[in-house]
Amino acid sequence: MLGVNNVNILTNDDVKLNYNIYGDGQPIILVAGYSGNQATWAAQIEPLKQAGFQVITYDRRNHGESQTVDYGMRMSRHGQDLAELIAALHLNQVILVGHSMGASTIWSYLSLYGEADVKAIITEDQIPKILRDETWSLGIFNADITMIWTAAEKLPHTKLTHAKISSDIKRKLAAAYHPFNFKYNEPLLVNSFIEDWRDIVKRERVPHLFLAGKHSPLWPADHVYDLKAMSTFGEEHIFEEAGHIPHIEEPENFNQVTINFLKRIDDY
């Protein structure tokens, strides 16, 4: 399978999910964050292809080219959607890469299906518990449960990047622009806020690279050290010039760090 462009699968609750496949080789699925779409991975596709990977991108429900519906706005459903994509494409030993809520989607998938079909995981600037409490000191905008709606309303108005984005990436993002209704999809965001994936991280037995942007406006970048310690086969990297989206802010560095990690996963 050398390439499949702009096609859909139909989930078991009748939602069309759009996906694209680039190249052949070891499959790797790139999962975008909240409000993001497949175009955010534009700078990763060709380098990963050249490194020998079959690159698969898709839009989560209510995102990008996928169908917008008024149901399934919860992380458990997004994990199920990822599972159905993996099954529909008959993938084995897939590598999962998730940015922000895309990382939570991966943890949701693992909570439902385990890691039998997963070879490695990369999560980018996402903490497994988004609200702080007496057991967890990190929170989005330092929020706890009493500030959940304030944080949810603040996020869409927050500048997420720190480094200057290249004009080429800006053009590709603009060409693939899809309006995203933040208010309509707020139930998904709030649901993601109340999840706690720490038990999933602790139970993982596959290599996991935790990435962060030093200047992320959402939480301290050194959360990756906590997650590395929590994980059995964890590694970490902080991008010194990036905010919340290193893969579009420092794409060359991101690609090199990612590919170097993936070259080592068979050593675990």
Side-chain angles (χ1 to χ4, degrees), residues 16-212:
K16 293 178 182 178
L17 300 181
N18 184 265
Y19 71 92
N20 289 269
I21 301 176
Y22 306 89
D24 206 359
Q26 162 69 52
I28 181 169
I29 300 179
L30 309 180
V31 191
Y34 184 63
S35 82
N37 61 45
Q38 299 172 72
T40 66
W41 300 109
Q44 281 66 58
I45 293 168
E46 192 59 32
L48 287 171
K49 274 180 57 182
Q50 293 299 318
F53 297 96
Q54 179 184 70
V55 183
I56 301 161
T57 63
Y58 80 104
D59 287 326
R60 294 183 294 123
R61 61 177 61 207
N62 292 25
H63 290 69
E65 295 282 352
S66 288
Q67 186 177 356
T68 293
V69 293
D70 62 357
Y71 55 91
M73 295 189 202
R74 63 186 67 89
M75 292 313 306
S76 58
R77 183 64 239 189
H78 282 243
Q80 175 66 24
D81 289 348
L82 177 55
E84 292 186 26
L85 177 68
I86 291 171
L89 298 182
H90 307 289
L91 302 177
N92 295 299
Q93 292 300 289
V94 67
I95 296 165
L96 300 176
V97 180
H99 167 250
S100 196
M101 192 185 285
S104 295
T105 299
I106 293 170
W107 286 321
S108 176
Y109 164 81
L110 294 175
S111 76
L112 294 168
Y113 291 95
E115 58 191 35
D117 285 329
V118 177
K119 189 174 182 67
I121 302 165
I122 301 175
T123 51
E124 179 187 5
D125 211 61
Q126 183 73 348
I127 55 179
K129 186 180 185 325
I130 295 180
L131 298 174
R132 62 179 173 83
D133 62 17
E134 66 277 3
T135 71
W136 182 248
S137 63
L138 302 174
I140 185 169
F141 310 126
N142 200 35
D144 61 16
I145 190 66
T146 67
M147 304 163 64
I148 187 170
W149 290 106
T150 301
E153 291 168 4
K154 180 178 179 179
L155 182 62
H157 306 288
T158 301
K159 179 177 170 56
L160 297 177
T161 57
H162 175 78
K164 183 178 180 181
I165 301 173
S166 75
S167 56
D168 180 58
I169 290 178
K170 283 183 177 179
R171 282 194 297 269
K172 290 175 180 176
L173 292 175
Y177 172 73
H178 285 268
F180 184 81
N181 190 326
F182 285 93
K183 195 64 180 177
Y184 184 81
N185 288 286
E186 193 172 62
L188 172 64
L189 183 64
V190 171
N191 178 259
S192 76
F193 280 6
I194 63 174
E195 294 285 5
D196 183 352
W197 307 112
R198 288 177 294 175
D199 62 318
I200 304 300
V201 176
K202 292 174 183 177
R203 289 175 54 83
E204 290 172 359
R205 295 298 182 267
V206 296
H208 191 148
L209 176 61
F210 300 95
L211 303 175

Side-chain angles (χ1 to χ4, degrees), residues 125 127 137-139 142 212-214 216-224 238:
D125 211 61
I127 55 179
S137 63
L138 302 174
N142 200 35
K214 183 176 181 179
S216 176
L218 304 186
W219 32 64
D222 59 8
H223 73 265
V224 294
I238 295 175

